[in-house]
Amino acid sequence: MNTDIAQLVSVALYTPKPAESVAFFHDLLGMEISHREGQSVYLRAYEDFYQYTLKLTEAKQAGLEEVTWRASSPKALETVVMRIEASGLGDRWTDRDYAHGRAYKFCTPDGHRQKVLWDLDYFEAPPELKSKLRNRPSKRPLRGVPVRRIDHVNLMVSDVVKNTDFMLNVLDFKLREQKIGDGGAIVGSWLSVSALVHELALMRDSTGSRGRFHHVAYWYGAQQHLLDIADIFAERDVRTESGPAKHGTTQAYFMYCFEPGGNRVELFGDTGYLIFDPEWKTVVWNVANEVDLEKSSIWFGGQLAKSFYRYGTPVVLGHSLEEIGR
Ligand SMILES: [Fe+2]
């Protein structure tokens, strides 16, 4: 598929518990630490080809620092930046981020900080991490149940239509699935730039807040690994929210949990389904209809917790996990 954005590169998160957050991703999800700098730690999954896909930075509150996208070519980068600047949501060019070259910073209409680039550093495994599989950038780790690669990011928005239109018209995403609610209001969008059903989901924040983070997803490629990590989480009192189960929307096998800093993380079992059709017609779920409401959220495997539509980071007053309850 020929879009100006090629893929999701990385997600940068704030955490009030940096040591515990790093231990969660390193020890339980088997991620490797690529770099430490100041109050930040950079990590990658063992099949992530770039230097890092997750940056954790110490801060008072959990939340999103930035999402980074890679353009399809240097020319596509310039084209996208022209459209971002015309939208009025552009910020500036920067070349100061670790492992990322010249990049253009901007915001979504809701205020989520983003960055788009072409130049970046590929991961070069040191001898002890080198895999004999020539198409695997580093050895499969021995810790926890190692995730394989970053998959997608989910952002909570105050206005799904406005933010979806921005991603479609300015960033060149394709609209794969959508949920409409009472009165035809659009309450969620699943967008992609590849055959994946989504690299980005936008969901209505039912607290009415702007610019919050819902989750980052790492991919296993096998449902059994969700059961394995669920077993390990239960032994170690890691807080989980829903799953292992299967969504109707995107057909994903999933489990949601919270890293110690409070950010939601999704572990993604298989790929869902793939889209190769250049004339794809957006799949629409009408969640005002009870069957669609139930089947889109959970195809099988229990229920989504109440917190799923209300909890995000940063946490807003009255909407902590404890206050929302199960
Ligand atoms: Fe997700």
Side-chain angles (χ1 to χ4, degrees):
M1 190 165 61
N2 202 6
T3 60
D4 289 335
I5 299 292
Q7 66 179 138
L8 171 64
V9 172
S10 60
V11 171
L13 298 177
Y14 293 123
T15 169
K17 295 184 178 175
E20 292 94 327
S21 295
V22 171
F24 171 84
F25 287 103
H26 178 267
D27 299 349
L28 300 181
L29 302 189
M31 292 177 69
E32 304 286 3
I33 295 170
S34 305
H35 184 64
R36 291 177 185 269
E37 192 175 306
Q39 299 302 101
S40 300
V41 179
Y42 299 76
L43 300 107
R44 55 179 284 284
Y46 72 99
E47 291 190 348
D48 281 329
F49 284 91
Y50 302 143
Q51 188 69 17
Y52 76 91
T53 53
L54 179 69
K55 175 188 175 191
L56 298 172
T57 300
E58 182 173 5
K60 279 198 181 129
Q61 282 190 306
L64 177 74
E65 180 188 355
E66 191 172 66
V67 177
T68 300
W69 303 100
R70 192 173 189 201
S72 303
S73 67
K75 188 168 180 295
L77 174 61
E78 301 301 326
T79 306
V80 167
V81 170
M82 273 174 52
R83 286 201 301 265
I84 296 170
E85 288 188 329
S87 77
L89 289 169
D91 181 1
R92 66 187 193 281
W93 285 99
T94 175
D95 55 5
R96 294 197 310 173
D97 291 342
Y98 166 73
H100 290 173
R102 182 171 172 266
Y104 189 80
K105 288 178 178 271
F106 63 99
C107 276
T108 63
D110 233 57
H112 302 97
R113 284 192 283 171
Q114 316 258 312
K115 190 174 78 181
V116 58
L117 50 68
W118 167 253
D119 287 318
L120 76 180
D121 293 348
Y122 284 79
F123 179 70
E124 297 277 351
E128 68 274 15
L129 291 183
K130 219 171 180 63
S131 173
K132 288 174 185 159
L133 264 179
R134 289 189 178 273
N135 48 17
R136 177 177 279 173
S138 58
K139 267 184 195 166
R140 181 175 173 153
L142 294 173
R143 302 177 306 277
V145 184
V147 289
R148 291 175 66 181
R149 62 163 170 78
I150 195 168
D151 191 85
H152 65 266
V153 61
N154 183 317
L155 305 176
M156 299 171 92
V157 291
S158 57
D159 184 331
V160 178
V161 174
K162 199 191 255 190
N163 286 275
T164 300
D165 285 350
F166 176 77
M167 297 311 291
L168 297 178
N169 301 330
V170 178
L171 273 290
D172 200 22
F173 277 67
K174 307 293 175 201
L175 185 57
R176 303 318 202 167
E177 297 200 21
Q178 201 153 48
K179 281 190 187 183
I180 57 172
D182 286 335
I186 295 170
V187 296
S189 296
W190 285 258
L191 304 115
S192 79
V193 289
S194 72
L196 298 176
V197 185
H198 68 321
E199 286 94 4
L200 173 69
L202 300 171
M203 295 195 329
R204 185 171 69 182
D205 190 328
S206 65
T207 69
S209 309
R210 293 180 78 241
R212 293 206 298 160
F213 172 77
H214 195 271
H215 67 263
V216 60
Y218 275 87
W219 185 72
Y220 277 127
Q223 293 90 296
Q224 179 60 46
H225 295 159
L226 291 182
L227 303 181
D228 293 337
I229 196 67
D231 200 29
I232 287 176
F233 282 174
E235 293 272 26
R236 282 157 182 80
D237 298 323
V238 172
R239 184 158 189 171
T240 59
E241 185 178 49
S242 299
K246 178 169 173 153
H247 284 307
T249 312
T250 77
Q251 289 197 42
Y253 284 90
F254 69 89
M255 179 169 64
Y256 295 99
C257 60
F258 301 99
E259 57 88 19
N263 294 298
R264 187 187 281 101
V265 176
E266 181 183 8
L267 285 319
F268 205 53
D270 66 1
T271 307
Y273 67 97
L274 298 173
I275 299 170
F276 300 100
D277 179 358
E279 294 184 296
W280 182 255
K281 289 184 181 57
T282 304
V283 172
V284 179
W285 301 82
N286 180 357
V287 295
N289 157 332
E290 257 181 45
V291 175
D292 267 16
L293 175 64
E294 186 192 326
K295 297 303 181 191
S296 64
S297 301
I298 299 280
W299 182 240
F300 58 76
Q303 286 187 320
L304 279 182
K306 277 189 284 183
S307 52
F308 191 78
Y309 296 108
R310 290 166 58 190
Y311 179 86
T313 46
V315 178
V316 293
L317 207 60
H319 296 282
S320 68
L321 286 171
E322 289 65 33
E323 287 163 308
I324 297 169
R326 291 274 168 181

